Amino acid sequence: MLAEASVGVTQDCPCPSFPLPHSEESRRHGLAGCLVVAAPMIQRAREYVRNGARELATSFPCVPFDPQAIEEKLAVNLLEPLGSMISRVCVLELNVARLEGVLEGNTSEERFVSFLKRLGEPAIAGQLFAEYPVLKNEIEKRLEQWSVFSLEFLKHLCEDWQQLRRRIFSGAAPGEIASIQGGAGDTHRGGRSVMIITFAGGERVVYKPRSLAADEHFQQLLDWINGRSAEPAFRLMKILDRGDHGWVEFISASPCRSQSELSRFYRRQGSYLALLYAMEACDFHHENLVAAGEHPILVDLEALFHPRVATYGGQRANERALSALDDSVLAVGMLPIRIWANGDESGVDISGLSNCSGQLTPFAVPQWDKAETDEMRVVRKRAEMAGSNNCPTLEGIPASAFDYAEEIAGAFASTYRLLLAHAAEFLSLLHRFAKDEVRAIPRSSRTYANLYHESFHPDLLRDRNSRESFLNKLQETVAFRPDLQRLLAAEQEDLLRGDIPLFTTRPGSCDIWTSAGQRIADHFTESGISLVERRIAHLSEKDLQLQHWIVRASIASMKPCDEGHAPAATQPTAALRQAAGSDELIAAARQIGDRLTQLAFGNEDDAAWIGLVIAGQREWRLSPLGLDFYDGVPGVILFLAYLAELTGESRYASLARAALKTLRTGMKEASRLSGGIGAFSGWGGIIYMFAHLGVLWQDTSLFSEAEELANSIADSIAADPAFDVIGGAAGCALALLALYKCRPSQETLKAAIACGEHLLGAAQKQSRGIGWNCMRDAAAPLTGFAHGNAGIGYALLALYGATRQRRFQEAAALTFDYERSVYSSQQRNWPDLRNKAAQGFVAAWCHGAPGIGLSRLCALGLSNDPQLSEEIEAALATTAENITGDPTLCHGDLGNADILLYASEILQQPCWRNRADQLVTALLHSARGAGWKCSNPLGVESPGLMTGLAGIGYALLRHAAPERVPSVLALEAPVL
């Protein structure tokens, strides 16, 4: 924020009258030069604290500080808050002075120093504060708060010193105070904040200006769990609660010494998760946890028993799914979960288990451009985040929670069961917290902090009304959050006082208290204790199954989606004596249908699912399934519809119809799909689904619905930036042609032709053939079916088949010619060109030989290209040899088996069917012991089509009855 990048000052700038200490901290932040304008005010505040410290020293027999020097150590903590207040005004005035030509110096840097000298002149300072009277008042207010809080802290230190020595330092004498780090957290209640005190002997202690009763009770709870043979045991913290303030031992971050210590660290994290979930805790992000060797230590326990306002309280299936996530272990804040901003392709993860180092802030933040020159200005851009102390290290290398997912999930389950087994005793311990002060968090602290910092824009500092009106922007959200209405006045008062608004409650109460102690009765409909009682009553093996899945799924989301997938152990195909028959395959698909039924949220009217789905370019997200065909609701509907068709069981069709209602509701609320018009991440996939449902359910209204959708996206075709099968015009054309086959329509064909024309217009000539830039960071036009030339070439040929327009056929020939130019005869494969730095070879439908072979198989009969047969032979050989253990459609063995099955149908060569049988049967046998592992970093069960259960089930159905179940990989039309 602004305080992190305030006005700089050159080291040789003379500031003789400046009353703040010239510490390394002040130079690093560059605040000293600007604050010279407030030197007299600062000097008066320092003198007040100095005199007060001397008086305290005469009132107590033993004080752990030098009264002549303690004010110097406290004053360092004024740099950041005062610098944040004054910096933007100073930069504006700096630029005004530059334009007026009143600065001295031959260089921009010299003129900047000249400006700082001018600020030290009383007349200039007087003019500045006359123009910005609000700024002067805010500085005076902050200095008064600092003075009062500094002396209050010193008095508490003197009064508590003997107990502090016994409780925290085990009777040792730590010496005098060497330094004080203030502002270790947000300021509340008149500028009060957490402070870290370092003594001459090196010992440190944390001062917190609030009750620590909840912290003490939490340590008792950990001790109780340790006494129930929890393994590994929790480390307990030393705490001294003094009612309105308290002291906590300082926990230093330290490395682990072995892999076994790392393992125990993450097992404790899993146990913490279960405990915090049961206690309705939240806000345990990366700053609230310290990795002290093998012990994760929670250093902020304000947000226990957190009464929550339901965000998703509706009865629709999607709202129920969202509510389930909102009410899950994710709410603790410790599990990986990304924050997404508009235009952000990767999001940011600030959870307690994640290392935020190197990530970019999700939103643009104010920073200085041309610092320490007379052209200095504020710019806004995303900034790289620094790391925290929450991640353990071994030999200097930070560990990743992903590598210890099973330790975390296993300990979560064991501690969950411990709490379940001792629920009555556990609940009685929790009632000790009933009157403890805990935090209520109606809005994120970031919202408050951003508003407060922006209120120091120069335009808002000229009169009080402008700034107060600006701070009242919190009113704007009340229309969406009526529960905030009664809190607005307190929020405004805190912000005007210079604090981050603070609200507290008691676990046994439905009331909320403002920072000033005002009680707002019955703010919550249910107390924290009541919520926890209900949570504990809800603990069960069924709930554990869901929460355990969420733990593993969220940890899986830490890995990018293109960094490999969890292998599933398949049985060696040579050991198979007999291929699985149709009945066995359909029975396995029925089991998947039953599992999807169990996982569904909603009722007979609508249905939704939670899954691990791809978000942005490379990330996974735990969320309700979306509108895309790839891993969203349409793909699940298609599988259930075909399962009902082959089994004759209407319950699967009923679930599909319920999910279709959810899909239609989502379509009405969405102006567009993030993937555009394509077949798998855009509107084309929904058109394709409707075409199949119209045939399966013999309902021509579904064709009409698809045609209406096709008409609605016709104007979007020319703006499509993706081009490919997944998200672009190629996939849209194939979907439209599938609909056209079911119900021929000139409007549908016209839209498909528009897709082809868009592709022809965007083609880029290569040294050989043509290609499309389908991915922004790709090394070159891609090969392959999903995002590359193979899928686009097939779409062009399909258009030729429907229109007999030779231009599409000719362009397809050039498309395939480009792929031939990069073919590797040694690898018998086509390179994956997505990564400029490391080009490799993939063997899947999406990228590599299998999908490219599929495109050539689809081209037979539409092209006279003599090289097709040779390419098909090479591609099928590579496909047949590739065994990943991944069972899914997009980049797994069932996808490759589908392509081999397709080859056997087109080429009339049984050998490919035999090889497909081997792959499918091996996967089927493996799943009987371990269950189906979906295509994500931990193999977590997920409902979707291309990387999840629905696709596995669909592949089994297709293998059982290929004459009735078309290939979705080839985007085949339904069988009429």
Side-chain angles (χ1 to χ4, degrees):
M1 307 311 298
L2 290 176
E4 296 169 345
S6 296
V7 180
V9 59
T10 53
Q11 290 187 359
D12 58 350
C13 173
C15 299
S17 62
F18 183 64
L20 287 178
H22 287 273
S23 66
E24 288 302 315
E25 185 77 3
S26 69
R27 289 194 172 130
R28 183 173 66 82
H29 284 286
L31 306 179
C34 278
L35 292 183
V36 70
V37 73
M41 291 184 282
I42 296 172
Q43 186 64 47
R44 286 194 295 272
R46 289 188 60 171
E47 289 174 356
Y48 180 83
V49 171
R50 186 183 306 121
N51 293 333
R54 290 170 180 166
E55 290 180 14
L56 281 172
T58 63
S59 303
F60 292 90
C62 179
V63 294
F65 58 83
D66 180 355
Q68 305 299 326
I70 191 64
E71 157 263 333
E72 181 91 2
K73 296 175 174 58
L74 288 162
V76 173
N77 297 304
L78 283 170
L79 290 169
E80 187 167 333
L82 295 185
S84 177
M85 291 178 181
I86 202 170
S87 56
R88 292 173 73 177
V89 162
C90 286
V91 167
L92 173 61
E93 294 303 314
L94 167 67
N95 282 275
V96 170
R98 173 177 56 82
L99 293 174
E100 291 177 345
V102 298
L103 301 179
E104 299 177 354
N106 296 322
T107 67
S108 185
E109 290 78 10
E110 289 175 352
R111 290 189 292 273
F112 176 75
V113 173
S114 171
F115 172 74
L116 296 181
K117 290 179 180 178
R118 285 171 54 84
L119 284 181
E121 299 174 12
I124 298 297
Q127 292 173 12
L128 186 144
F129 286 130
E131 183 170 356
Y132 303 102
V134 178
L135 175 62
K136 182 180 181 182
N137 289 338
E138 291 301 310
I139 293 174
E140 289 175 337
K141 185 190 305 177
R142 179 51 61 100
L143 287 170
E144 182 181 0
Q145 291 174 345
W146 171 80
S147 302
V148 171
F149 178 47
S150 293
L151 292 178
E152 177 182 273
F153 157 72
L154 292 176
K155 183 181 179 183
H156 288 160
L157 178 65
C158 294
E159 291 173 339
D160 302 339
W161 182 240
Q162 297 305 324
Q163 290 187 65
L164 183 60
R165 283 184 56 189
R166 288 193 298 270
R167 182 73 62 87
I168 305 298
F169 299 121
S170 301
E176 287 190 347
I177 291 177
S179 66
I180 300 173
Q181 177 190 340
D186 296 327
T187 60
H188 304 297
R189 293 171 172 159
R192 291 167 173 82
S193 69
V194 174
M195 295 203 293
I196 300 172
I197 300 91
T198 302
F199 294 89
E203 294 87 350
R204 284 183 281 185
V205 69
V206 180
Y207 171 80
K208 296 192 176 186
R210 62 172 176 84
S211 168
L212 297 182
D215 300 64
E216 283 199 328
H217 287 143
F218 190 79
Q219 302 309 306
Q220 294 169 10
L221 192 58
L222 294 182
D223 190 46
W224 174 80
I225 292 176
N226 288 345
R228 297 299 175 277
S229 301
E231 177 59 35
F234 292 109
R235 172 181 167 181
L236 306 185
M237 292 178 64
K238 299 175 183 177
I239 293 173
L240 174 61
D241 177 37
R242 298 290 289 157
D244 62 349
H245 69 279
W247 308 85
V248 184
E249 70 169 307
F250 180 84
I251 304 296
S252 298
S254 57
C256 289
R257 296 169 294 183
S258 65
Q259 287 290 345
S260 60
E261 285 196 355
L262 277 177
S263 177
R264 290 195 293 273
F265 178 94
Y266 283 109
R267 285 162 61 194
R268 290 185 176 96
Q269 289 284 60
S271 294
Y272 268 135
L273 268 175
L275 178 59
L276 295 172
Y277 167 68
M279 296 180 71
E280 289 281 357
C282 70
D283 203 36
F284 285 91
H285 52 75
H286 67 111
E287 292 180 337
N288 287 341
L289 190 145
V290 172
E294 65 175 81
H295 294 277
I297 305 296
L298 307 180
V299 294
D300 190 348
L301 296 168
E302 287 185 283
L304 302 174
F305 299 88
H306 195 257
R308 290 176 289 106
V309 177
T311 308
Y312 308 103
Q315 294 302 306
R316 295 187 310 186
N318 245 33
E319 291 169 334
R320 292 186 181 188
L322 285 167
S323 181
L325 286 176
D326 193 46
D327 197 38
S328 75
V329 66
L330 277 179
V332 171
M334 190 180 290
L335 286 170
I337 186 168
R338 292 188 173 273
I339 301 169
W340 301 79
N342 292 335
D344 184 11
E345 294 182 351
S346 60
V348 61
D349 178 9
I350 60 170
S351 64
L353 281 175
S354 300
N355 186 351
C356 66
S357 177
Q359 297 184 80
L360 296 179
T361 56
F363 305 96
V365 296
Q367 298 177 62
W368 294 120
D369 182 44
K370 298 182 179 180
E372 299 186 4
T373 73
D374 66 345
E375 295 180 331
M376 193 172 181
R377 64 192 180 103
V378 176
V379 296
R380 296 177 185 274
K381 58 184 179 180
R382 297 175 67 190
E384 188 171 301
M385 299 172 66
S388 297
N389 293 322
N390 62 308
C391 290
T393 62
L394 179 63
E395 296 179 351
I397 301 173
S400 170
F402 178 86
D403 297 328
Y404 298 87
E406 301 312 322
E407 283 88 343
I408 296 169
F412 173 84
S414 63
T415 302
Y416 184 110
R417 290 191 174 102
L418 184 152
L419 299 178
L420 179 59
H422 301 276
E425 189 179 357
F426 175 49
L427 187 56
S428 68
L429 288 171
L430 295 182
H431 277 277
R432 295 180 181 179
F433 292 82
K435 296 182 180 181
D436 294 348
E437 180 182 275
V438 294
R439 183 94 175 265
I441 308 175
R443 308 183 201 249
S444 73
S445 293
R446 184 183 61 80
T447 299
Y448 293 132
N450 285 351
L451 189 65
Y452 177 72
H453 284 298
E454 292 301 325
S455 74
F456 284 91
H457 189 284
D459 291 345
L460 301 175
L461 298 177
R462 292 185 172 94
D463 73 273
R464 178 179 176 181
N465 291 336
S466 295
R467 186 166 182 267
E468 289 185 4
S469 177
F470 177 81
L471 290 175
N472 201 35
K473 282 182 175 290
L474 292 172
Q475 174 75 48
E476 296 173 1
T477 59
V478 171
F480 310 100
R481 291 276 309 279
D483 60 291
L484 297 175
Q485 180 66 57
R486 293 201 295 169
L487 307 183
L488 281 172
E491 290 176 318
Q492 180 100 349
E493 289 173 7
D494 279 352
L495 288 170
L496 288 172
R497 193 165 42 237
D499 290 331
I500 298 300
L502 174 71
F503 297 95
T504 58
T505 186
R506 313 291 184 266
S509 173
C510 292
D511 302 339
I512 195 170
W513 282 262
T514 70
S515 65
Q518 178 190 1
R519 175 174 164 268
I520 301 175
D522 298 323
H523 178 76
F524 303 108
T525 57
E526 193 171 3
S527 70
I529 281 284
S530 178
L531 283 170
V532 169
E533 288 174 343
R534 190 149 50 84
R535 168 63 53 81
I536 293 173
H538 184 66
L539 296 181
S540 64
E541 286 297 323
K542 181 180 179 181
D543 179 63
L544 173 57
Q545 184 182 43
L546 173 61
Q547 304 307 324
H548 186 267
W549 178 84
I550 290 174
V551 170
R552 296 188 73 249
S554 63
I555 296 173
S557 72
M558 298 179 76
K559 284 285 186 181
C561 60
D562 56 359
E563 282 194 10
H565 306 88
T570 56
Q571 297 180 5
T573 54
L576 298 176
R577 298 181 179 179
Q578 185 175 1
S582 295
D583 291 344
E584 186 178 1
L585 294 170
I586 293 174
R590 183 187 286 110
Q591 290 177 348
I592 291 176
D594 293 342
R595 181 60 179 156
L596 288 171
T597 302
Q598 294 173 353
L599 295 174
F601 291 86
N603 49 45
E604 60 184 17
D605 292 328
D606 62 352
W609 291 267
I610 294 172
L612 194 58
V613 300
I614 294 175
Q617 293 291 323
R618 305 175 63 233
E619 311 302 332
W620 294 98
R621 176 188 286 176
L622 186 60
S623 73
L625 300 192
L627 307 182
D628 60 287
F629 188 58
Y630 187 89
D631 262 338
V633 176
V636 180
I637 292 172
L638 188 71
F639 162 62
L640 291 170
Y642 271 100
L643 181 61
E645 179 73 10
L646 266 65
T647 62
E649 296 189 31
S650 60
R651 58 194 178 98
Y652 299 125
S654 296
L655 183 57
R657 291 180 187 276
L660 183 58
K661 181 176 180 180
T662 299
L663 177 65
R664 284 173 171 146
T665 300
M667 290 169 62
K668 291 177 183 177
E669 296 174 350
S671 59
R672 59 184 291 272
L673 284 180
S674 60
I677 62 173
F680 288 91
S681 64
W683 294 108
I686 299 178
I687 293 171
Y688 182 77
M689 178 209 67
F690 275 128
H692 281 262
L693 295 182
V695 172
L696 290 172
W697 295 345
Q698 299 181 15
D699 184 352
T700 58
S701 69
L702 295 169
F703 298 144
S704 300
E705 199 167 349
E707 288 169 347
E708 290 176 8
L709 183 55
N711 292 335
S712 71
I713 66 170
D715 294 339
S716 302
I717 293 172
D720 160 52
F723 312 117
D724 59 23
V725 168
I726 290 283
C732 188
L734 291 170
L736 290 166
L737 291 174
L739 173 62
Y740 180 73
K741 182 178 178 181
C742 299
R743 187 160 78 174
S745 161
Q746 287 304 307
E747 287 300 315
T748 300
L749 184 59
K750 181 181 176 181
I753 292 172
C755 290
E757 291 173 343
H758 176 61
L759 290 171
L760 296 182
Q764 296 183 353
K765 187 176 180 180
Q766 305 298 311
S767 58
R768 181 176 166 186
I770 59 176
W772 289 261
N773 290 326
C774 299
M775 282 193 172
R776 184 177 60 196
D777 297 328
L782 302 184
T783 65
F785 199 97
H787 293 290
N789 270 30
I792 296 173
Y794 165 45
L796 292 170
L797 283 173
L799 284 167
Y800 164 70
T803 65
R804 291 298 156 178
Q805 295 182 23
R806 293 292 298 274
R807 59 194 178 119
F808 293 130
Q809 185 187 51
E810 292 167 356
L814 292 172
T815 300
F816 290 164
D817 200 33
Y818 166 74
E819 287 188 321
R820 287 170 189 147
S821 71
V822 296
Y823 173 73
S824 169
S825 57
Q826 183 179 4
Q827 296 284 337
R828 281 192 309 186
N829 204 344
W830 292 256
D832 179 0
L833 301 174
R834 286 174 292 174
N835 191 329
K836 295 178 182 179
Q839 297 176 15
F841 293 87
V842 181
W845 167 80
C846 48
H847 298 279
I852 293 174
L854 176 63
S855 74
R856 304 318 193 249
L857 288 165
C858 294
L860 295 175
L862 297 172
S863 171
N864 297 319
D865 190 333
Q867 297 185 61
L868 290 179
S869 297
E870 182 181 345
E871 289 178 317
I872 289 171
E873 181 180 352
L876 291 178
T878 299
T879 302
E881 293 173 359
N882 185 69
I883 300 176
T884 65
D886 182 333
T888 57
L889 280 180
C890 183
H891 28 250
D893 291 343
L894 284 177
N896 288 354
D898 183 86
I899 292 168
L900 295 172
L901 175 62
Y902 190 84
S904 72
E905 296 173 318
I906 298 296
L907 303 176
Q908 296 295 302
Q909 295 178 3
C911 63
W912 301 122
R913 172 65 194 243
N914 294 337
R915 180 56 179 151
D917 286 344
Q918 290 179 331
L919 289 174
V920 172
T921 304
L923 288 166
L924 193 62
H925 287 186
S926 178
R928 284 174 181 162
W932 292 107
K933 292 188 177 181
C934 296
S935 189
N936 54 64
L938 290 176
V940 174
E941 182 181 68
S942 195
L945 182 74
M946 297 303 288
T947 66
L949 293 176
I952 294 170
Y954 190 93
L956 296 174
L957 292 178
R958 171 156 163 73
H959 209 78
E963 72 284 355
R964 299 173 64 185
V965 183
S967 171
V968 294
L969 298 185
L971 290 170
E972 284 189 299
V975 178
L976 300 176

